[in-house]
Amino acid sequence: MRQGDGGLAAGLFSARLRRYGFIFSFLAIPLILYVVFVISPYAQAFYISLTNWRGISANPQFIGFENFTRLLDDDVFWAAVRHHGLLLLAMPLITIAIALFFSFLLNLGGGSRGGAMTGVWGSKFYRVVYFFPQVLAVAVVGVLFQAIYRPDNTGVLNGLLKWIGVDPVGWLINTDLALWSIMAVVVWQSVGFYVVLFSAGMSAIPRDVFEAAALDGAGRFRLFFSITLPLIWDTIQVGWVYLGIAAFDCFALVQVLSVDRGGPDNATTVLPLEIWRTAFTFSKFGYASAMGVALFFLTITFAALSLRVTRRERIELS
């Protein structure tokens, strides 16, 4: 190697080192904070799940996988897992279907006007209306629907049913209806966010594509299923994963709306609620951590499988 080539290589290496050092100087503090406040609690939870810690002793007894063995025989734990399974099947499907329908109406439902595809009349106003539940605090939503679901005729829903001669329905006290009633609230609050998300995806599609299809005689049904849906599939995939992760949560609404925190008869209990109750009501932090670890792996498994199953070949428009 000639002397000039060696000097050039050294200069390139020095420039690259300065560049990466500059980038690392910006990333170091966020990375340290992430490790301290996210990775570290996860690591501690994994360790605590292998102990019988009750939140007081500084030196908990190590018991290995005994907490996880107990989970296998815990009927309440499996009831919560079944509820998450129902939420995973129904909540994302319902929310995404409603959000896609509204998004299509707001962006393309008005048809072709002046040679351009437009949304329905008043679409800007409807965007605000749909998104409004998203800005409400979860506790406020819970209190609001407590009044709506009240089991006597003073409840909003039962008051409407009374007008048509239907007896009051125990929306939150009926074991067959309670979880579905809470799921309806989650969907109601979530739809607005996904309307905005899917509308952004539809707005990124060149209007020429829709206009060309409309000139060829494609109706709204064909525009949606043959053009819109394939082109925003990546956005739908992200929304599906978000909703699945949300289905593993639902702590706040279940806490506020359910009878006796997860009732009646554990008909609405979910794992985050059981983790909270086991830790802070019964002081079984080791067992609660084992539930948390199980929830962690359930969530990670769902996200990985969802991304794998819903993966499609990306469609790019030139």
Side-chain angles (χ1 to χ4, degrees), residues 45-83:
F46 275 85
Y47 170 71
I48 294 172
S49 69
L50 302 175
T51 69
N52 64 350
W53 190 48
R54 300 186 65 87
I56 301 174
S57 173
N59 297 308
Q61 180 184 357
F62 183 83
I63 59 174
F65 292 96
E66 184 177 325
N67 287 324
F68 294 97
T69 304
R70 288 178 56 196
L71 285 179
L72 299 177
D73 298 322
D74 191 335
D75 293 336
V76 177
F77 170 79
W78 288 111
V81 171
R82 287 194 298 272
H83 297 156

mmCIF file of all heavy atoms in Angstrom, residues 45-83:
data_model
loop_
_atom_site.group_PDB
_atom_site.id
_atom_site.type_symbol
_atom_site.label_atom_id
_atom_site.label_comp_id
_atom_site.label_asym_id
_atom_site.label_seq_id
_atom_site.Cartn_x
_atom_site.Cartn_y
_atom_site.Cartn_z
ATOM 1 N N ALA A 45 -38.253 -7.889 37.505
ATOM 2 C CA ALA A 45 -39.488 -8.677 37.553
ATOM 3 C C ALA A 45 -39.204 -10.151 37.303
ATOM 4 O O ALA A 45 -39.790 -11.029 37.959
ATOM 5 C CB ALA A 45 -40.484 -8.148 36.521
ATOM 6 N N PHE A 46 -38.294 -10.447 36.367
ATOM 7 C CA PHE A 46 -37.936 -11.843 36.104
ATOM 8 C C PHE A 46 -37.328 -12.476 37.350
ATOM 9 O O PHE A 46 -37.630 -13.631 37.680
ATOM 10 C CB PHE A 46 -36.951 -11.920 34.932
ATOM 11 C CG PHE A 46 -37.610 -11.926 33.588
ATOM 12 C CD1 PHE A 46 -37.953 -10.747 32.961
ATOM 13 C CD2 PHE A 46 -37.911 -13.118 32.957
ATOM 14 C CE1 PHE A 46 -38.560 -10.747 31.731
ATOM 15 C CE2 PHE A 46 -38.518 -13.136 31.720
ATOM 16 C CZ PHE A 46 -38.853 -11.940 31.104
ATOM 17 N N TYR A 47 -36.487 -11.746 38.042
ATOM 18 C CA TYR A 47 -35.871 -12.297 39.248
ATOM 19 C C TYR A 47 -36.902 -12.469 40.360
ATOM 20 O O TYR A 47 -36.962 -13.518 41.013
ATOM 21 C CB TYR A 47 -34.738 -11.392 39.729
ATOM 22 C CG TYR A 47 -34.225 -11.771 41.100
ATOM 23 C CD1 TYR A 47 -33.488 -12.938 41.287
ATOM 24 C CD2 TYR A 47 -34.520 -10.977 42.216
ATOM 25 C CE1 TYR A 47 -33.046 -13.308 42.552
ATOM 26 C CE2 TYR A 47 -34.080 -11.331 43.473
ATOM 27 C CZ TYR A 47 -33.348 -12.501 43.643
ATOM 28 O OH TYR A 47 -32.915 -12.858 44.898
ATOM 29 N N ILE A 48 -37.716 -11.448 40.589
ATOM 30 C CA ILE A 48 -38.717 -11.512 41.667
ATOM 31 C C ILE A 48 -39.688 -12.666 41.441
ATOM 32 O O ILE A 48 -40.175 -13.286 42.401
ATOM 33 C CB ILE A 48 -39.459 -10.167 41.783
ATOM 34 C CG1 ILE A 48 -38.492 -9.065 42.239
ATOM 35 C CG2 ILE A 48 -40.624 -10.260 42.757
ATOM 36 C CD1 ILE A 48 -39.083 -7.673 42.194
ATOM 37 N N SER A 49 -39.983 -12.974 40.162
ATOM 38 C CA SER A 49 -40.913 -14.073 39.878
ATOM 39 C C SER A 49 -40.376 -15.418 40.337
ATOM 40 O O SER A 49 -41.141 -16.383 40.455
ATOM 41 C CB SER A 49 -41.207 -14.125 38.377
ATOM 42 O OG SER A 49 -40.060 -14.530 37.644
ATOM 43 N N LEU A 50 -39.092 -15.509 40.614
ATOM 44 C CA LEU A 50 -38.478 -16.755 41.086
ATOM 45 C C LEU A 50 -38.322 -16.783 42.605
ATOM 46 O O LEU A 50 -37.640 -17.645 43.144
ATOM 47 C CB LEU A 50 -37.106 -16.940 40.427
ATOM 48 C CG LEU A 50 -37.096 -16.965 38.896
ATOM 49 C CD1 LEU A 50 -35.668 -17.040 38.374
ATOM 50 C CD2 LEU A 50 -37.928 -18.128 38.364
ATOM 51 N N THR A 51 -38.969 -15.820 43.281
ATOM 52 C CA THR A 51 -38.875 -15.732 44.740
ATOM 53 C C THR A 51 -40.273 -15.700 45.346
ATOM 54 O O THR A 51 -41.281 -15.629 44.637
ATOM 55 C CB THR A 51 -38.117 -14.459 45.162
ATOM 56 O OG1 THR A 51 -38.918 -13.294 44.868
ATOM 57 C CG2 THR A 51 -36.786 -14.343 44.436
ATOM 58 N N ASN A 52 -40.307 -15.722 46.678
ATOM 59 C CA ASN A 52 -41.584 -15.597 47.400
ATOM 60 C C ASN A 52 -41.697 -14.211 48.049
ATOM 61 O O ASN A 52 -42.292 -14.072 49.114
ATOM 62 C CB ASN A 52 -41.719 -16.689 48.459
ATOM 63 C CG ASN A 52 -40.649 -16.568 49.543
ATOM 64 O OD1 ASN A 52 -39.702 -15.781 49.415
ATOM 65 N ND2 ASN A 52 -40.791 -17.347 50.620
ATOM 66 N N TRP A 53 -41.115 -13.207 47.425
ATOM 67 C CA TRP A 53 -41.083 -11.867 47.994
ATOM 68 C C TRP A 53 -42.485 -11.327 48.237
ATOM 69 O O TRP A 53 -43.359 -11.436 47.394
ATOM 70 C CB TRP A 53 -40.318 -10.932 47.048
ATOM 71 C CG TRP A 53 -40.012 -9.583 47.656
ATOM 72 C CD1 TRP A 53 -39.484 -9.349 48.870
ATOM 73 C CD2 TRP A 53 -40.226 -8.312 47.046
ATOM 74 N NE1 TRP A 53 -39.334 -7.996 49.077
ATOM 75 C CE2 TRP A 53 -39.781 -7.336 47.964
ATOM 76 C CE3 TRP A 53 -40.728 -7.901 45.819
ATOM 77 C CZ2 TRP A 53 -39.839 -5.967 47.691
ATOM 78 C CZ3 TRP A 53 -40.784 -6.547 45.532
ATOM 79 C CH2 TRP A 53 -40.348 -5.598 46.473
ATOM 80 N N ARG A 54 -42.693 -10.728 49.420
ATOM 81 C CA ARG A 54 -43.990 -10.162 49.786
ATOM 82 C C ARG A 54 -43.936 -8.641 49.876
ATOM 83 O O ARG A 54 -44.813 -8.014 50.467
ATOM 84 C CB ARG A 54 -44.465 -10.760 51.109
ATOM 85 C CG ARG A 54 -44.637 -12.279 51.063
ATOM 86 C CD ARG A 54 -45.245 -12.813 52.350
ATOM 87 N NE ARG A 54 -46.588 -12.340 52.557
ATOM 88 C CZ ARG A 54 -47.681 -12.923 52.068
ATOM 89 N NH1 ARG A 54 -47.560 -14.017 51.326
ATOM 90 N NH2 ARG A 54 -48.882 -12.439 52.296
ATOM 91 N N GLY A 55 -42.903 -8.049 49.299
ATOM 92 C CA GLY A 55 -42.827 -6.602 49.247
ATOM 93 C C GLY A 55 -42.195 -5.955 50.449
ATOM 94 O O GLY A 55 -42.133 -4.718 50.520
ATOM 95 N N ILE A 56 -41.730 -6.734 51.421
ATOM 96 C CA ILE A 56 -41.177 -6.180 52.666
ATOM 97 C C ILE A 56 -39.744 -6.630 52.874
ATOM 98 O O ILE A 56 -38.843 -5.813 53.068
ATOM 99 C CB ILE A 56 -42.042 -6.586 53.874
ATOM 100 C CG1 ILE A 56 -43.475 -6.078 53.698
ATOM 101 C CG2 ILE A 56 -41.434 -6.044 55.164
ATOM 102 C CD1 ILE A 56 -44.426 -6.543 54.764
ATOM 103 N N SER A 57 -39.511 -7.922 52.816
ATOM 104 C CA SER A 57 -38.191 -8.480 53.113
ATOM 105 C C SER A 57 -37.165 -8.013 52.089
ATOM 106 O O SER A 57 -37.432 -7.970 50.880
ATOM 107 C CB SER A 57 -38.260 -10.004 53.120
ATOM 108 O OG SER A 57 -36.965 -10.559 53.241
ATOM 109 N N ALA A 58 -35.970 -7.663 52.588
ATOM 110 C CA ALA A 58 -34.887 -7.238 51.703
ATOM 111 C C ALA A 58 -34.202 -8.428 51.052
ATOM 112 O O ALA A 58 -33.522 -8.274 50.033
ATOM 113 C CB ALA A 58 -33.868 -6.418 52.488
ATOM 114 N N ASN A 59 -34.358 -9.613 51.619
ATOM 115 C CA ASN A 59 -33.725 -10.816 51.090
ATOM 116 C C ASN A 59 -34.785 -11.897 50.884
ATOM 117 O O ASN A 59 -34.959 -12.793 51.720
ATOM 118 C CB ASN A 59 -32.637 -11.331 52.043
ATOM 119 C CG ASN A 59 -31.505 -10.324 52.206
ATOM 120 O OD1 ASN A 59 -30.945 -9.861 51.223
ATOM 121 N ND2 ASN A 59 -31.180 -9.991 53.452
ATOM 122 N N PRO A 60 -35.534 -11.833 49.782
ATOM 123 C CA PRO A 60 -36.577 -12.840 49.543
ATOM 124 C C PRO A 60 -35.993 -14.217 49.304
ATOM 125 O O PRO A 60 -34.853 -14.364 48.848
ATOM 126 C CB PRO A 60 -37.281 -12.304 48.298
ATOM 127 C CG PRO A 60 -36.256 -11.471 47.600
ATOM 128 C CD PRO A 60 -35.436 -10.854 48.692
ATOM 129 N N GLN A 61 -36.775 -15.222 49.627
ATOM 130 C CA GLN A 61 -36.324 -16.601 49.442
ATOM 131 C C GLN A 61 -36.473 -17.023 47.982
ATOM 132 O O GLN A 61 -37.528 -16.835 47.366
ATOM 133 C CB GLN A 61 -37.139 -17.536 50.329
ATOM 134 C CG GLN A 61 -36.742 -19.008 50.211
ATOM 135 C CD GLN A 61 -37.636 -19.902 51.044
ATOM 136 O OE1 GLN A 61 -38.517 -19.419 51.751
ATOM 137 N NE2 GLN A 61 -37.412 -21.201 50.958
ATOM 138 N N PHE A 62 -35.420 -17.601 47.440
ATOM 139 C CA PHE A 62 -35.458 -18.077 46.055
ATOM 140 C C PHE A 62 -36.187 -19.422 46.019
ATOM 141 O O PHE A 62 -35.818 -20.364 46.714
ATOM 142 C CB PHE A 62 -34.028 -18.234 45.531
ATOM 143 C CG PHE A 62 -33.961 -18.653 44.091
ATOM 144 C CD1 PHE A 62 -34.072 -17.730 43.078
ATOM 145 C CD2 PHE A 62 -33.789 -20.001 43.757
ATOM 146 C CE1 PHE A 62 -34.004 -18.120 41.739
ATOM 147 C CE2 PHE A 62 -33.726 -20.395 42.431
ATOM 148 C CZ PHE A 62 -33.829 -19.454 41.426
ATOM 149 N N ILE A 63 -37.238 -19.516 45.203
ATOM 150 C CA ILE A 63 -38.047 -20.737 45.145
ATOM 151 C C ILE A 63 -38.095 -21.319 43.731
ATOM 152 O O ILE A 63 -38.886 -22.230 43.459
ATOM 153 C CB ILE A 63 -39.477 -20.482 45.650
ATOM 154 C CG1 ILE A 63 -40.160 -19.402 44.827
ATOM 155 C CG2 ILE A 63 -39.471 -20.115 47.118
ATOM 156 C CD1 ILE A 63 -41.629 -19.206 45.186
ATOM 157 N N GLY A 64 -37.294 -20.792 42.827
ATOM 158 C CA GLY A 64 -37.242 -21.329 41.471
ATOM 159 C C GLY A 64 -38.535 -21.091 40.701
ATOM 160 O O GLY A 64 -39.098 -19.997 40.735
ATOM 161 N N PHE A 65 -39.027 -22.120 40.033
ATOM 162 C CA PHE A 65 -40.208 -21.991 39.171
ATOM 163 C C PHE A 65 -41.506 -22.366 39.884
ATOM 164 O O PHE A 65 -42.505 -22.678 39.235
ATOM 165 C CB PHE A 65 -40.041 -22.868 37.918
ATOM 166 C CG PHE A 65 -38.962 -22.384 36.998
ATOM 167 C CD1 PHE A 65 -37.687 -22.929 37.059
ATOM 168 C CD2 PHE A 65 -39.212 -21.362 36.091
ATOM 169 C CE1 PHE A 65 -36.687 -22.485 36.212
ATOM 170 C CE2 PHE A 65 -38.219 -20.901 35.244
ATOM 171 C CZ PHE A 65 -36.949 -21.456 35.303
ATOM 172 N N GLU A 66 -41.493 -22.314 41.211
ATOM 173 C CA GLU A 66 -42.685 -22.697 41.966
ATOM 174 C C GLU A 66 -43.876 -21.793 41.642
ATOM 175 O O GLU A 66 -45.016 -22.268 41.541
ATOM 176 C CB GLU A 66 -42.372 -22.638 43.462
ATOM 177 C CG GLU A 66 -43.522 -23.102 44.346
ATOM 178 C CD GLU A 66 -43.158 -23.098 45.820
ATOM 179 O OE1 GLU A 66 -41.982 -23.397 46.137
ATOM 180 O OE2 GLU A 66 -44.028 -22.793 46.644
ATOM 181 N N ASN A 67 -43.634 -20.475 41.492
ATOM 182 C CA ASN A 67 -44.735 -19.556 41.158
ATOM 183 C C ASN A 67 -45.356 -19.900 39.810
ATOM 184 O O ASN A 67 -46.582 -19.827 39.639
ATOM 185 C CB ASN A 67 -44.229 -18.114 41.143
ATOM 186 C CG ASN A 67 -43.963 -17.574 42.537
ATOM 187 O OD1 ASN A 67 -44.678 -17.897 43.485
ATOM 188 N ND2 ASN A 67 -42.929 -16.759 42.674
ATOM 189 N N PHE A 68 -44.540 -20.274 38.847
ATOM 190 C CA PHE A 68 -45.059 -20.620 37.525
ATOM 191 C C PHE A 68 -45.815 -21.939 37.565
ATOM 192 O O PHE A 68 -46.797 -22.126 36.830
ATOM 193 C CB PHE A 68 -43.901 -20.692 36.522
ATOM 194 C CG PHE A 68 -43.230 -19.377 36.285
ATOM 195 C CD1 PHE A 68 -42.063 -19.048 36.966
ATOM 196 C CD2 PHE A 68 -43.766 -18.456 35.394
ATOM 197 C CE1 PHE A 68 -41.437 -17.836 36.758
ATOM 198 C CE2 PHE A 68 -43.144 -17.231 35.180
ATOM 199 C CZ PHE A 68 -41.976 -16.919 35.863
ATOM 200 N N THR A 69 -45.388 -22.852 38.424
ATOM 201 C CA THR A 69 -46.123 -24.106 38.590
ATOM 202 C C THR A 69 -47.503 -23.837 39.178
ATOM 203 O O THR A 69 -48.501 -24.457 38.776
ATOM 204 C CB THR A 69 -45.333 -25.069 39.498
ATOM 205 O OG1 THR A 69 -44.025 -25.274 38.955
ATOM 206 C CG2 THR A 69 -46.041 -26.403 39.620
ATOM 207 N N ARG A 70 -47.570 -22.911 40.132
ATOM 208 C CA ARG A 70 -48.860 -22.541 40.723
ATOM 209 C C ARG A 70 -49.804 -21.943 39.680
ATOM 210 O O ARG A 70 -51.027 -22.137 39.752
ATOM 211 C CB ARG A 70 -48.655 -21.545 41.859
ATOM 212 C CG ARG A 70 -48.045 -22.148 43.126
ATOM 213 C CD ARG A 70 -47.829 -21.070 44.166
ATOM 214 N NE ARG A 70 -49.062 -20.358 44.477
ATOM 215 C CZ ARG A 70 -49.134 -19.199 45.107
ATOM 216 N NH1 ARG A 70 -48.005 -18.593 45.495
ATOM 217 N NH2 ARG A 70 -50.286 -18.633 45.359
ATOM 218 N N LEU A 71 -49.245 -21.208 38.725
ATOM 219 C CA LEU A 71 -50.088 -20.605 37.695
ATOM 220 C C LEU A 71 -50.869 -21.657 36.917
ATOM 221 O O LEU A 71 -52.011 -21.423 36.500
ATOM 222 C CB LEU A 71 -49.233 -19.783 36.724
ATOM 223 C CG LEU A 71 -48.702 -18.428 37.195
ATOM 224 C CD1 LEU A 71 -47.868 -17.786 36.106
ATOM 225 C CD2 LEU A 71 -49.849 -17.502 37.586
ATOM 226 N N LEU A 72 -50.259 -22.811 36.705
ATOM 227 C CA LEU A 72 -50.906 -23.856 35.916
ATOM 228 C C LEU A 72 -52.180 -24.366 36.579
ATOM 229 O O LEU A 72 -53.072 -24.883 35.896
ATOM 230 C CB LEU A 72 -49.930 -25.019 35.688
ATOM 231 C CG LEU A 72 -48.649 -24.682 34.916
ATOM 232 C CD1 LEU A 72 -47.746 -25.904 34.839
ATOM 233 C CD2 LEU A 72 -48.977 -24.162 33.525
ATOM 234 N N ASP A 73 -52.287 -24.236 37.904
ATOM 235 C CA ASP A 73 -53.462 -24.708 38.640
ATOM 236 C C ASP A 73 -54.346 -23.564 39.128
ATOM 237 O O ASP A 73 -55.265 -23.789 39.914
ATOM 238 C CB ASP A 73 -53.026 -25.560 39.837
ATOM 239 C CG ASP A 73 -52.264 -26.797 39.422
ATOM 240 O OD1 ASP A 73 -52.630 -27.397 38.391
ATOM 241 O OD2 ASP A 73 -51.285 -27.155 40.112
ATOM 242 N N ASP A 74 -54.072 -22.336 38.664
ATOM 243 C CA ASP A 74 -54.815 -21.161 39.118
ATOM 244 C C ASP A 74 -55.985 -20.909 38.173
ATOM 245 O O ASP A 74 -55.806 -20.471 37.033
ATOM 246 C CB ASP A 74 -53.882 -19.948 39.159
ATOM 247 C CG ASP A 74 -54.517 -18.758 39.877
ATOM 248 O OD1 ASP A 74 -55.763 -18.690 39.922
ATOM 249 O OD2 ASP A 74 -53.769 -17.905 40.380
ATOM 250 N N ASP A 75 -57.211 -21.187 38.626
ATOM 251 C CA ASP A 75 -58.395 -21.031 37.782
ATOM 252 C C ASP A 75 -58.620 -19.568 37.385
ATOM 253 O O ASP A 75 -59.070 -19.287 36.269
ATOM 254 C CB ASP A 75 -59.633 -21.565 38.512
ATOM 255 C CG ASP A 75 -59.577 -23.070 38.707
ATOM 256 O OD1 ASP A 75 -58.860 -23.746 37.928
ATOM 257 O OD2 ASP A 75 -60.240 -23.574 39.641
ATOM 258 N N VAL A 76 -58.323 -18.636 38.290
ATOM 259 C CA VAL A 76 -58.520 -17.222 37.983
ATOM 260 C C VAL A 76 -57.546 -16.774 36.892
ATOM 261 O O VAL A 76 -57.907 -16.022 35.988
ATOM 262 C CB VAL A 76 -58.347 -16.362 39.258
ATOM 263 C CG1 VAL A 76 -58.485 -14.880 38.923
ATOM 264 C CG2 VAL A 76 -59.378 -16.764 40.306
ATOM 265 N N PHE A 77 -56.314 -17.262 36.971
ATOM 266 C CA PHE A 77 -55.323 -16.932 35.943
ATOM 267 C C PHE A 77 -55.797 -17.405 34.577
ATOM 268 O O PHE A 77 -55.739 -16.658 33.589
ATOM 269 C CB PHE A 77 -53.984 -17.588 36.293
ATOM 270 C CG PHE A 77 -52.963 -17.519 35.193
ATOM 271 C CD1 PHE A 77 -52.248 -16.358 34.960
ATOM 272 C CD2 PHE A 77 -52.723 -18.637 34.387
ATOM 273 C CE1 PHE A 77 -51.306 -16.297 33.938
ATOM 274 C CE2 PHE A 77 -51.780 -18.585 33.376
ATOM 275 C CZ PHE A 77 -51.078 -17.416 33.147
ATOM 276 N N TRP A 78 -56.293 -18.633 34.492
ATOM 277 C CA TRP A 78 -56.738 -19.157 33.199
ATOM 278 C C TRP A 78 -58.008 -18.477 32.730
ATOM 279 O O TRP A 78 -58.228 -18.325 31.510
ATOM 280 C CB TRP A 78 -56.916 -20.664 33.284
ATOM 281 C CG TRP A 78 -55.620 -21.389 33.359
ATOM 282 C CD1 TRP A 78 -55.101 -22.074 34.415
ATOM 283 C CD2 TRP A 78 -54.636 -21.470 32.318
ATOM 284 N NE1 TRP A 78 -53.857 -22.576 34.121
ATOM 285 C CE2 TRP A 78 -53.543 -22.220 32.833
ATOM 286 C CE3 TRP A 78 -54.560 -20.982 31.016
ATOM 287 C CZ2 TRP A 78 -52.416 -22.491 32.075
ATOM 288 C CZ3 TRP A 78 -53.429 -21.245 30.261
ATOM 289 C CH2 TRP A 78 -52.380 -21.998 30.786
ATOM 290 N N ALA A 79 -58.864 -18.049 33.659
ATOM 291 C CA ALA A 79 -60.038 -17.275 33.261
ATOM 292 C C ALA A 79 -59.614 -15.966 32.610
ATOM 293 O O ALA A 79 -60.171 -15.550 31.584
ATOM 294 C CB ALA A 79 -60.922 -17.006 34.480
ATOM 295 N N ALA A 80 -58.605 -15.315 33.209
ATOM 296 C CA ALA A 80 -58.091 -14.069 32.630
ATOM 297 C C ALA A 80 -57.487 -14.311 31.251
ATOM 298 O O ALA A 80 -57.678 -13.518 30.327
ATOM 299 C CB ALA A 80 -57.059 -13.447 33.570
ATOM 300 N N VAL A 81 -56.755 -15.422 31.087
ATOM 301 C CA VAL A 81 -56.163 -15.749 29.786
ATOM 302 C C VAL A 81 -57.258 -15.968 28.740
ATOM 303 O O VAL A 81 -57.149 -15.514 27.594
ATOM 304 C CB VAL A 81 -55.252 -16.981 29.900
ATOM 305 C CG1 VAL A 81 -54.803 -17.453 28.517
ATOM 306 C CG2 VAL A 81 -54.038 -16.676 30.770
ATOM 307 N N ARG A 82 -58.330 -16.658 29.119
ATOM 308 C CA ARG A 82 -59.442 -16.869 28.177
ATOM 309 C C ARG A 82 -60.071 -15.542 27.783
ATOM 310 O O ARG A 82 -60.441 -15.335 26.614
ATOM 311 C CB ARG A 82 -60.490 -17.793 28.811
ATOM 312 C CG ARG A 82 -60.070 -19.247 28.893
ATOM 313 C CD ARG A 82 -61.265 -20.144 29.203
ATOM 314 N NE ARG A 82 -61.862 -19.830 30.498
ATOM 315 C CZ ARG A 82 -61.473 -20.376 31.645
ATOM 316 N NH1 ARG A 82 -60.478 -21.255 31.657
ATOM 317 N NH2 ARG A 82 -62.070 -20.066 32.777
ATOM 318 N N HIS A 83 -60.202 -14.633 28.739
ATOM 319 C CA HIS A 83 -60.773 -13.316 28.420
ATOM 320 C C HIS A 83 -59.879 -12.555 27.453
ATOM 321 O O HIS A 83 -60.374 -11.881 26.537
ATOM 322 C CB HIS A 83 -60.987 -12.513 29.704
ATOM 323 C CG HIS A 83 -61.960 -13.134 30.643
ATOM 324 N ND1 HIS A 83 -61.974 -12.890 32.006
ATOM 325 C CD2 HIS A 83 -62.968 -14.022 30.426
ATOM 326 C CE1 HIS A 83 -62.936 -13.592 32.567
ATOM 327 N NE2 HIS A 83 -63.550 -14.286 31.634
#
